[in-house]
Structures are given as C-alpha cells and as structure tokens.
Amino acid sequence: MGGGRAVTDRVERALERIGRLDPELCAFAEVWDEEARARARSVDRRLPLAGMPFAVKGPAGIRSYAAQRLVAAGAVPVGSTAVPGPGTYWQTWGRGRHGRTVNPYRADRTPGGSSAGSAVAVAAGMVPLATGSDGAGSVRIPAAWCGVFGLKTTNGLLPSPDRTGLASAGVLTRSAAEARAYLDHVLDAPRPAPPPLALPLPAVFSADLGFARTEPEVAAVVRAAVERLVAAGVVQLLSDRTPFTLLDPREAWLSVRGGAAADAEGAGRAAGVRAENVRRLDGLFAGAELLLTPVTPNRPHGHEGPGEAYSTALTWAFNLSGHPAASVPAGFTADGCPVGLQLVARRGADVRLVEMAVAAESAVIRVRP
C-alpha cells in the first residue's frame, strides 16, 4: 500500500530543511534524496513509523542493526551524518560533504563527537531522530554540546561491531519522549512496560566523580538543573556527606581499547579498576535510581582541539561498566554553550531510564538563552 501524501510530505520537509541548512552546518556526509523519496512513496502507511525521516551515523550506519529495525518499522533514512575524518585522534568534530561540522549554537565551537553530524542534524530540526554509537561518550557528548537528548544503551543490549565491547548503540532526538520510538522498535522482542515512576526518584549527584576537573561554570549549570528537579519533586538527593566517587577510568579504558596490544600489567590494572567501579556502582544502585553528573567537565572547545582536557572524563566509566546513560539538556553557560546533565541507571534499565529522562524534561530542565 502506498505511503500517502502525509508520509511523503514528512520526508520532503526533511530534505528541504537539509538542503537549506546543511551547507552552513555540514551535518551530512551523504543525502539520499531520490532513494528517500522513492521509499516514502512505497512505504506501507500502516507501519508504526511510516514516513518518519531519520539519519544514520557515518557511512556504515545504514547497515547497523538499529537502522534496519527502524526501516522495517517504516522509517525512511534520508542520509548519513558526518563523523571525524581520518587521523583526528580526539574525535570531537565531523567532516560533512560541505566541510567541517559546526556547533549549531556556536559556529566557532565543535559539536562534539564522534556522532557529530547526528547531533547537529537533530538540533537543527533536519531530522527528528538520528542513530549514533557510543564507545566513550560519542552519543552523550555531542548531545550535550548541541542541546539535544542522547541515549547510550546498556552495553550488549543491541548488536555492536566493536570487538572490545566498549561501544554500544545509541540514539539522538530532540526530546527524551521521542527516543521511546527508537527503543520500541530496535529491541529484539516486545518488553513489558516499566512500572510507573514513583516520584521523587532517589538519586545521587556528583559534579566530578572524585577525579574530573569540572569547570566551575559547567558544574554550576548542572547543579542548578538538579536543584530544579528536586524542587519539582522529580528527584530526591540522597545524603552527600560522603560524596560518591569512582576510580579514574582513563587508563583502564585505554588498556581495554588497546586489546591484545596492551601489556599484561596494564591489563591487570584495568581489570582491577573496572571491577572496583562496578562494585561501587552496584552499591549505589542498590539504594538509588539515578546517578547524576555533568556529561562533560568542559564546555564545547574550538575546532583546533580540546588541548589537555578530556571531554570523556565523566562518560567513559559507563562504557567500561556497561550501564545505560543519557544526556538531557541542562542549560547554557554565559557564553551560550549548551551543557548536558548525565543520567545513569542500572544495567538493563534502558526503557525506565528514558521514562526518567522524560520526567526530568517535564520539570523544565531545558533552559535556552
């Protein structure tokens, strides 16, 4: 059965917006105009996502498991988004078909990476949803720096080509509510709806996890967002008389990423850090629903690179531990840079995490300049 005018109109509007905005923002590496139009004309309008335009991360994104599940539900891929070019070791920018991908709020700043183009495409309203992947923060960081919602799923929940197991599938959307469709259609089998949220959610907040050098203004923006959640009755902070800390995961992550190239002593230390952090997180989630942190310790940096800062300092621990984690827009620094609040939940609680993020957004956590 044909898709109908409403279905084709959705795809046409997305293509028009891409054509108008992408020469400046450089979010797309490829745009599949004719293929998208043909698919929109032929898609069965009875499918749940019939005609929903979406973008895929990078040149191989259309082959990902998540993209194929979205297509099977009737969604229409309109193009592949920009990812970092070869030799960019810091992976926090993208190379689109028109040039360097720019932050939609500050063109002189990076959008983050490596799901750079996906975040920009969603932030600029070119598509309502874009796929991503997250091995150290590659969904959450660009989501935070572009002011959109980003979800890293529980490691192993969805297929991943990453041999180390650090990377997991993810999604970027304008709001947490829009991410429901992603999980509804990419999970292997229908899952029971999570029980209703009992608010306030017991939560723990840490601005630095005990080791990150978080910029004072970034910490202040996130702390203010958390305070709004408390005031709205969404979360209840548990006592922070003994701040929650993790061991710095940097060397452990690098060792795991190095795989066989890592020396035996380094691998042993990495295993120890990983096990201790999992033990601490298991203890935290025995009594709390959420761990709240900034997504990054720093604001978006310039296109010349991050310097000595590790934008991944607060994200990559959860690639090692496997926990699902999301970025929710928290506000802006005085110079107009978006800041993200990271929500981390128990392993396997992805659907519930999205519902908790929806509750956070309903408390007007999003503050635009």
Side-chain angles (χ1 to χ4, degrees):
M1 183 179 293
R5 181 64 181 270
V7 168
T8 56
D9 281 353
R10 293 182 70 187
V11 171
E12 203 59 52
R13 285 195 299 270
L15 293 173
E16 183 280 328
R17 196 164 176 85
I18 293 168
R20 180 160 45 88
L21 299 178
D22 198 50
E24 179 181 352
L25 296 174
C26 306
F28 281 85
E30 296 179 343
V31 178
W32 307 319
D33 303 69
E34 294 311 312
E35 297 94 327
R37 290 186 176 103
R39 190 183 294 273
R41 288 192 297 268
S42 63
V43 70
D44 187 338
R45 66 174 179 267
R46 294 169 298 185
L47 292 171
L49 300 182
M52 184 193 79
F54 76 101
V56 299
K57 176 185 176 179
I62 192 60
R63 298 195 296 273
S64 71
Y65 178 82
Q68 292 302 305
R69 292 299 294 263
L70 292 171
V71 169
V76 176
V78 296
S80 63
T81 58
V83 293
T88 308
Y89 74 93
W90 34 276
Q91 298 287 294
T92 55
W93 62 296
R95 176 64 67 183
R97 58 182 181 157
H98 296 294
R100 182 180 62 192
T101 312
V102 302
N103 190 297
Y105 286 93
R106 289 281 305 264
D108 62 329
R109 305 293 175 91
T110 174
S114 60
S115 304
S118 287
V120 175
V122 169
M126 291 188 257
V127 289
L129 181 152
T131 65
S133 59
D134 189 314
S138 289
V139 164
R140 290 162 287 164
I141 293 170
W145 286 356
C146 293
V148 299
F149 175 78
L151 172 70
K152 178 198 87 70
T153 56
T154 298
N155 292 59
L157 179 69
L158 295 169
S160 168
D162 179 26
R163 60 178 174 75
T164 68
L166 291 173
S168 58
V171 66
L172 298 104
T173 55
R174 288 282 290 177
S175 70
E178 292 172 290
R180 288 169 170 153
Y182 174 86
L183 287 180
D184 285 346
H185 297 288
V186 302
L187 296 180
D188 281 334
R191 299 186 178 215
L197 298 179
L199 302 180
L201 301 161
V204 171
F205 171 70
S206 174
D208 58 12
L209 292 176
F211 58 82
R213 293 181 291 179
T214 305
E215 292 180 16
E217 189 177 2
V218 169
V221 169
V222 173
R223 181 77 206 203
V226 172
E227 289 171 356
R228 291 197 297 275
L229 293 183
V230 172
V234 175
V235 303
Q236 177 183 7
L237 292 183
L238 303 181
S239 172
D240 59 359
R241 285 177 293 181
T242 304
F244 179 74
T245 64
L246 292 176
L247 300 179
D248 187 342
R250 176 180 178 272
E251 295 302 326
W253 188 95
L254 292 172
S255 178
V256 173
R257 176 58 75 188
D263 63 89
E265 183 179 354
R269 288 196 302 270
V273 168
R274 199 172 193 175
E276 175 59 19
N277 280 351
V278 166
R279 184 190 70 79
R280 295 185 189 189
L281 287 163
D282 286 347
L284 181 146
F285 288 121
E289 285 260 29
L290 285 172
L291 171 61
L292 305 173
T293 78
V295 174
T296 64
N298 53 329
R299 70 195 73 201
H301 54 75
H303 292 278
E304 72 283 355
E308 297 299 315
Y310 276 87
S311 303
T312 54
L314 295 167
T315 52
W316 50 9
F318 309 110
N319 297 90
L320 281 166
S321 69
H323 290 77
S327 175
V328 172
F332 292 78
T333 56
D335 57 352
C337 293
V339 175
L341 167 65
Q342 180 170 226
L343 284 65
V344 186
R346 298 179 182 92
R347 284 183 294 271
D350 301 64
V351 173
R352 189 166 177 82
L353 174 58
V354 168
E355 295 308 312
M356 291 188 280
V358 170
E361 288 183 340
S362 73
V364 197
I365 198 169
R366 190 189 302 260
V367 179
R368 296 195 180 277

